[in-house]
Each structure stands twice: as structure tokens, then as C-alpha cells.
Amino acid sequence: MILNAFLKSAGHSSSEELYDLIKRDDPSIGQATIYRTMKLLVDAGLARSVDFGDGIVRYEQKLGHEHHDHLICEQCGIHVEVVDSVIEELQEDLAKRHGFRLYRHKMVLYGLCAECSSE
Amino acid sequence: MILNAFLKSAGHSSSEELYDLIKRDDPSIGQATIYRTMKLLVDAGLARSVDFGDGIVRYEQKLGHEHHDHLICEQCGIHVEVVDSVIEELQEDLAKRHGFRLYRHKMVLYGLCAECSSE
DNA sequence: ATAGAAAATGATAGTCATTATCAATCGATT
DNA sequence: AATCGATTGATAATGACTATCATTTTCTAT
């Protein structure tokens, strides 16, 4: 049921948001179960957690959903998924230059989207 | 007093860490004051807050301390400040390509440092 | 089927970093 | 010195999340 709600939800949902959704179908569900299940989905490789820096863990689908970074508008909150393969390579190089073996990275770009810029 | 402790502290200190330091000189100080003051220092342009993704806000000096990103060893926790001007440019391009005006970004690379790799 | 073990659930209390509140103190200005 | 606003420290509150624990629910072996 939780998996279903998660898969149906487009974008990046928090456990809290999913809880509100699922409660509509089954008011008896507890939020601890949502938190637990989302962690399980991450372990199972179905979900990936993302950190936008606001203290809330959001989840996005992982299946057929390649790695990407995020571009967020600080005004309206809209977010775009982006990837730049050159940046990815340079990150590898950068880490290697410092003797690090790179496991993963987090990159979030904050700015103003076209809409909000023109206002 | 807080500013002093912050300036003396090398690297990235949390309010909590600064509190422990300052308490030694003045046990009467309250931690709320540290939290408040660190925010003031950020507003005043003396400090910059950094988010390593562990739920703790750390502060670094801003004066004469250019923008940079972070490379963190997931084993021993050591962190290195890095900059790659090409990456920075590409981030600008990337944002522009999506119609965004870029204000700032956050990039944290997680991996294993040379030390920890060789163990 | 069925008893007994193991896992999952919901309710709720607890964490932990941070923030709000509020009375007391400090400080500048008259 | 009196006044009024800003700052402080102590403490309660917040909010996202986690731990606990008694109670189902779900296996699994018989």
C-alpha cells in the first residue's frame, strides 16, 4: 500500500506527505510504519532519499531513474532534476586529486527560475 | 567573546561545540546565546553556515575565505575544502540552460580518503 | 488445521538540534 | 538616577524522526 502510494506520487515526497495520502485510504495506519517502510524501500533499492537542506527527508523513485542533481528556485520552490556528465567526471577527478575514492555526491543549485526572475 | 572563540576555532564548528569551548571561560553563558549569536554573525557576513547533511549546522569563517565545496571521508570524517573553477562555471551554465539565475550551490562529495582506503 | 516462533504494526514516549518565551539584567539616553 | 529598549540565561516548546513495547499478523513445522 505504501509502495503503491510512493510509486504513484510524482516527484519527491516526504514520509509525512505519504502518510497524509495513505491515511485517506486507511485511517488506521501509523506514521511510524511509513517512516519504517520508506527506509526499507531505500534498502531494497526502490527508493532514494534526497536532502534539499530543509531538514526533511524526501524520497524519489530509483527504478529507471538515473542519478541526477537538483536545481531549486528559492522563490517558488520549483525543482528541476539536472545532470551534467562533465561535472560528474570533474567531481571524480577532483576527489581523486585529493586521494579520495568517491562514493557519492550531493549537489543542489539554488537560484531563481525563469518565471520568478521575470516578475 | 563568542566571535573570538569562533575566529580562533579552525574549521567548521557547530553552535554546540562553540558552547562547550566558551563555557570553559564563562560557565554562566547560555547556549541560546550562542545559537543566536552565530545567526547574527551569518547576517553580519562574518560567518557562513555549512550543511554536511548530518542535521547539524556548522559555521565557517567568511572573511578572506573564498567559496569552496567539501570532500568528506565517510569513514574517519575528515573533510577537505575543494574548489574546481571549471565545475563552478559548468554549474552556472547548467542553471542558465534551465533558465535559472544561480544564487548559490551546495556540493558535498562523499567517499573514502587515502588513509582509510589503504586499511 | 494449528501451535508456536518470528516479523510487522500502531500508539506513544523519547531524541536531538534548534527556536520561542519570558522574566531578569544590562546599557544607553535623558 | 529614571526610563525604555536590547540582550541574556533558563527553560519550555518544536518538529522530524527513532525507540520501545504490547498487540496483531504472518509464517513454518508439525
Side-chain angles (χ1 to χ4, degrees):
Chain A
M1 196 165 186
I2 297 173
L3 174 59
N4 234 340
F6 167 62
L7 292 178
K8 247 188 297 183
S9 80
H12 309 88
S13 319
S14 64
S15 293
E16 205 72 27
E17 286 166 352
L18 290 171
Y19 175 55
D20 289 340
L21 273 178
I22 297 167
K23 216 171 25 179
R24 291 212 277 263
D25 287 338
D26 176 4
S28 78
I29 202 161
Q31 43 189 157
T33 306
I34 313 284
Y35 278 99
R36 275 187 292 237
T37 306
M38 290 317 295
K39 292 196 135 188
L40 288 177
L41 294 185
V42 170
D43 289 346
L46 291 168
R48 185 191 289 129
S49 64
V50 271
D51 172 16
F52 287 169
D54 60 356
I56 296 172
V57 176
R58 284 161 226 277
Y59 297 94
E60 62 180 23
Q61 293 185 39
K62 196 169 170 189
L63 291 183
H65 196 209
E66 292 292 302
H67 159 76
H68 54 262
D69 295 300
H70 297 274
L71 178 55
I72 300 178
C73 174
E74 298 210 280
Q75 185 127 124
C76 66
I78 197 178
H79 58 256
V80 183
E81 298 183 351
V82 294
V83 214
D84 185 311
S85 55
V86 183
I87 292 181
E88 304 273 323
E89 278 172 39
L90 290 174
Q91 286 171 332
E92 280 287 347
D93 291 352
L94 181 54
K96 212 169 287 173
R97 232 180 292 146
H98 289 273
F100 275 62
R101 197 186 325 161
L102 194 58
Y103 283 173
R104 61 200 177 83
H105 70 259
K106 225 186 299 194
M107 184 173 90
V108 187
L109 309 178
Y110 301 92
L112 218 56
C113 72
E115 285 282 306
C116 292
S117 292
S118 64
E119 273 165 18
Chain B
M1 194 163 187
I2 298 173
L3 174 59
N4 234 339
F6 167 62
L7 292 178
K8 246 188 298 180
S9 80
H12 309 87
S13 319
S14 63
S15 293
E16 204 73 26
E17 286 166 352
L18 290 171
Y19 175 56
D20 289 340
L21 273 177
I22 297 167
K23 214 170 29 179
R24 290 213 278 263
D25 288 338
D26 176 4
S28 77
I29 202 162
Q31 43 189 157
T33 306
I34 313 284
Y35 278 98
R36 276 187 291 235
T37 306
M38 290 317 296
K39 292 197 134 187
L40 288 178
L41 293 185
V42 170
D43 289 346
L46 290 169
R48 186 191 289 130
S49 65
V50 272
D51 172 15
F52 287 172
D54 61 355
I56 296 172
V57 176
R58 284 161 226 278
Y59 298 93
E60 61 180 22
Q61 294 183 39
K62 198 170 169 187
L63 291 183
H65 196 209
E66 293 292 303
H67 159 77
H68 54 262
D69 296 299
H70 296 275
L71 179 55
I72 300 178
C73 174
E74 298 211 279
Q75 186 128 124
C76 66
I78 197 179
H79 57 256
V80 183
E81 298 183 352
V82 295
V83 215
D84 187 309
S85 55
V86 184
I87 292 181
E88 304 275 323
E89 279 173 41
L90 290 174
Q91 286 171 333
E92 280 287 347
D93 291 352
L94 181 55
K96 213 169 287 171
R97 232 180 292 146
H98 289 273
F100 275 62
R101 196 183 329 158
L102 195 59
Y103 282 174
R104 60 197 178 85
H105 70 260
K106 223 184 304 191
M107 185 172 88
V108 188
L109 309 178
Y110 300 91
L112 219 55
C113 72
E115 285 283 305
C116 292
S117 293
S118 64
E119 273 166 18

